[in-house]
Amino acid sequence: MEHRLPTRDTAAVPDAKISRRALLAIGVVAVVLVAALVAIAVNQGGSGGRAAAGGAPVPVRVIAFNDLHGNLEPPTGSSGKVQQGGGVSVDAGGAAFLATKVAQLRAQATNSVLVSSGDNIGASPVASALFHDEPTIDVMDELGVAASAAGNHEFDEGFAELQRMQKGGCQPTDGCVFRPDFPGAKFPILGANVTDANGAPALPASTVVEVGGVKLGIIGATLRDLPSVVTPEAIKGLQFGDEVAAIDKASAELTKQGAKAQIVLVHQGDEGAGGGPSDCSVKPNGLATAIATKVSPDVDAVFSAHSHQQYVCTVTDPGGAKRPLVQGLSFGRLLSVVDLTVDPGTGDVVRDRTAARNEVVGRDLTPDPAVQKIVDEAKEKAAPIASRPVGTITADLVRAGGATGESSLGDVIADAQLEAGRATGAQIAITNPGGIRADIPFAPDGVVTYGEAFTVQPFANIMQTITLTGAQLKAVLEQQWQGQQSPRILQISSTLHYTYSQSAPPGNKITAITVNGTAVDPAARYRVAVNNFLAAGGDNFTVFAQGTDLQGGPIDLDALLDHLEAHPNLAPPPADRITATP
Ligand SMILES: [Zn+2]
């Protein structure tokens, strides 16, 4: 059973079919390194290879998902597709398909561990959201998740609720609405850089799992910029420290405990640049790349998240060795697979034998019956709650823009967001048309249900209030024309008015901007309520990202629900906020 040449046994063989993709992902350099290692082993008669020191190398397959966001049912529209490159896409996702795919990937491997890089819950569809995501935690327990990082959305409902997700028990206000009791996550939710006001750990930094006789250390961390994407009340008393410093501290601790094979689950991600699932197609200066490049050389692989992108990259650690950095889109559409090889003598990963790829969770799989049962139960129980009335309207609220691009539902949502932003000084609100996902129809009786409101604003975007100068406000409105066929008209609150010229050149289209009826002064400062997507410069509205004095607010859906509650028999506002001239 002794193998003289470590590259020809265990981990490499079951993956022969994918080795081409894996090698592409790891890069030509790694191929050369593997070849060099083989050459050294041969020259030294097989005694010099590191993996040969303490018996046969131990293959450890790490399977990961990220940003599941409670997608128990197969996600729809573009959220349910994987771009495979070359303009080809395939339907993917759905928890019962995910479970089957996990089982297949486990069956191919001698040893396997399933992990997540966070945002498992929060910003989730009705079937999970209505039950405070308890069904999603139940599904993750059923899947046998070994550990997860805390994402930002794990904090959406506050730290006490996150602790309940971990420990179980009924929701203090709503009780146990999904099942008679909630056992909580069987896996640890990790956050090495999350501390309380005194700097004491608020979440465990790491966990160790025994797999194939070796100790695998798993470190979890969330984005240090979490306070900019979570409402302040939810994270009161918590601090979010530098990811690299916290990971390095946890890594040193693990090394001390003898867990030398280490992986990091970090809820931060690079922006994609349009490649296929296992390409390394990312924009430069990525936040996850920075972390994955800087953390301790003791870390053997980095699983990222948060940006909902697909990539399989290789970065060089501070010691000069390569390690993979991966992310698998979101909503359970992809599973990231990193095959590590551990030298049982040292307990450490033989780096140049690592292979990584993303695998599509296709809809042609047979749904896993145990997970499907949980999904069906959540769907059935959600139906009556989704029909709960949350407001009344006098006519259809539609998201399609009229002659000027202004829409009745856009007006209502912007007004709701202005009201929500008043506490942080907002004078106007601006929202992106792409964030309004459905109409609110009057039929049959003018009653708006929770399910309808939820379908309109399903992303749980966080409201933020920023300061823009009058000049920046004009610039952002000019950015509605950026070479597209048709302009992307932002939806605005009743306190903002302006005129655009259809014939004037881009950059010169906007005139007569007023805030509360007063002409906008280019040098004056205005408080603007926007969602976190726009605040970050989303949809190429880059000027929003120049905003200052950012303060967090509620989730956009809650702003809409509050507005509907405060304004019964809400009528579609007249389309008089935007004026167009020839
Ligand atoms: Zn996130």
Side-chain angles (χ1 to χ4, degrees):
M1 281 306 291
E2 278 297 320
H3 290 265
R4 289 172 62 219
L5 302 181
T7 48
R8 279 286 156 246
D9 58 12
T10 49
V13 174
D15 300 329
K17 279 204 298 277
I18 55 82
S19 62
R20 190 212 301 262
R21 259 189 295 169
L23 290 175
L24 278 174
I26 291 295
V28 176
V29 175
V31 177
V32 173
L33 283 173
V34 169
L37 181 70
V38 172
I40 290 163
V42 170
N43 288 342
Q44 300 183 344
S47 61
R50 279 188 296 154
V58 179
V60 176
R61 167 166 289 182
V62 185
I63 307 166
F65 57 89
N66 58 275
D67 299 275
L68 180 64
H69 288 292
N71 278 263
L72 303 178
E73 295 181 76
T76 56
S78 62
S79 296
K81 292 195 184 299
V82 171
Q83 297 299 327
Q84 296 201 293
V88 181
S89 70
V90 60
D91 289 343
F97 297 122
L98 181 89
T100 300
K101 188 75 187 181
V102 167
Q104 287 183 355
L105 291 167
R106 282 189 189 278
Q108 293 169 4
T110 314
N111 308 298
S112 62
V113 180
L114 178 65
V115 293
S116 166
S117 315
D119 277 7
N120 306 307
I121 57 174
S124 42
V126 177
S128 183
L130 289 183
F131 308 110
H132 298 283
D133 290 308
E134 290 170 17
T136 297
I137 298 293
D138 290 347
V139 164
M140 290 177 70
D141 283 343
E142 181 66 36
L143 290 169
V145 170
S148 175
N152 48 301
H153 283 286
E154 267 78 8
F155 292 88
D156 279 352
E157 294 187 44
F159 188 54
E161 177 67 0
L162 171 53
Q163 288 173 305
R164 188 180 75 86
M165 290 289 108
Q166 179 74 79
K167 293 177 188 155
C170 294
Q171 221 271 348
T173 43
D174 294 352
C176 275
V177 276
F178 181 52
R179 285 176 172 175
D181 68 334
F182 173 60
K186 291 178 190 154
F187 53 91
I189 301 170
L190 308 173
N193 57 338
V194 186
T195 53
D196 66 16
N198 303 318
L203 293 172
S206 67
T207 187
V208 177
V209 295
E210 284 260 348
V211 51
V214 299
K215 286 179 174 178
L216 177 70
I218 306 173
I219 302 165
T222 198
L223 66 163
R224 76 176 164 201
D225 293 332
L226 188 145
S228 65
V229 288
V230 174
T231 182
E233 308 89 79
I235 50 168
K236 217 174 207 165
L238 293 177
Q239 299 185 74
F240 299 87
D242 181 70
E243 301 97 342
V244 174
I247 290 167
D248 281 356
K249 191 177 164 207
S251 170
E253 198 58 47
L254 286 171
T255 303
K256 217 184 290 172
Q257 292 171 31
K260 291 187 183 161
Q262 297 177 6
I263 61 169
V264 161
L265 313 173
V266 62
H267 193 77
Q268 180 57 285
D270 281 15
E271 286 308 319
S278 293
D279 293 336
C280 179
S281 186
V282 293
K283 292 184 181 162
N285 308 316
L287 295 167
T289 293
I291 295 165
T293 306
K294 285 182 201 154
V295 292
S296 164
D298 290 350
V299 170
D300 299 298
V302 178
F303 297 80
S304 61
H306 188 56
S307 56
H308 296 203
Q309 301 296 319
Q310 55 186 10
Y311 48 80
V312 175
C313 294
T314 303
V315 300
T316 304
D317 74 23
K322 307 281 183 195
R323 60 187 170 202
L325 165 67
V326 299
Q327 187 181 173
L329 280 176
S330 58
F331 314 141
R333 289 174 287 174
L334 290 180
L335 284 165
S336 298
V337 181
V338 173
D339 285 318
L340 302 171
T341 304
V342 180
D343 178 338
T346 63
D348 205 353
V349 169
V350 185
R351 279 296 182 82
D352 46 27
R353 297 190 55 188
T354 302
R357 66 187 194 272
N358 280 327
E359 286 264 347
V360 175
V361 177
R363 305 258 176 92
D364 51 348
L365 298 163
T366 306
D368 177 89
V371 169
Q372 189 65 54
K373 196 162 164 269
I374 303 172
V375 175
D376 288 344
E377 188 180 340
K379 264 167 65 176
E380 278 159 30
K381 289 181 175 172
I385 305 173
S387 61
R388 176 169 67 87
V390 294
T392 46
I393 54 175
T394 63
D396 291 348
L397 296 176
V398 297
R399 62 180 176 145
T404 62
E406 183 179 341
S407 75
S408 57
L409 186 51
D411 283 0
V412 165
I413 287 173
D415 288 346
Q417 298 188 343
L418 173 61
E419 281 178 33
R422 291 283 192 199
T424 43
Q427 299 160 279
I428 57 174
I430 302 179
T431 199
N432 53 311
I436 305 168
R437 307 303 295 180
D439 297 340
I440 303 182
F442 176 81
D445 53 6
V447 171
V448 182
T449 65
Y450 182 89
E452 284 174 321
F454 189 96
T455 308
V456 169
Q457 300 259 269
F459 298 128
N461 283 314
I462 304 298
M463 292 309 304
Q464 300 181 326
T465 301
I466 55 173
T467 297
L468 293 181
T469 64
Q472 286 170 329
L473 179 58
K474 177 178 184 292
V476 94
L477 294 174
E478 295 285 1
Q479 286 190 317
Q480 295 175 119
W481 289 264
Q482 297 191 58
Q484 306 104 330
Q485 292 295 100
S486 50
R488 193 190 297 270
I489 298 296
L490 295 162
Q491 301 300 306
I492 59 176
S493 62
S494 63
T495 50
L496 176 62
H497 289 79
Y498 70 91
T499 298
Y500 68 80
S501 159
Q502 281 162 326
S503 55
N508 225 343
K509 285 179 169 290
I510 307 293
T511 54
I513 313 172
T514 63
V515 169
N516 288 319
T518 305
V520 160
D521 172 356
R525 296 154 71 81
Y526 299 90
R527 293 289 283 164
V528 186
V530 287
N531 61 36
N532 58 300
F533 173 77
L534 278 186
D539 275 349
N540 287 320
F541 288 102
T542 54
V543 174
F544 281 122
Q546 298 167 15
T548 56
D549 304 314
L550 185 149
Q551 283 184 276
I555 286 170
D556 54 5
L557 175 61
D558 289 338
L560 178 60
L561 292 172
D562 287 350
H563 189 73
L564 287 166
E565 192 184 0
H567 302 276
N569 297 312
L570 185 65
D576 61 1
R577 302 172 188 185
I578 306 173
T579 306
T581 60

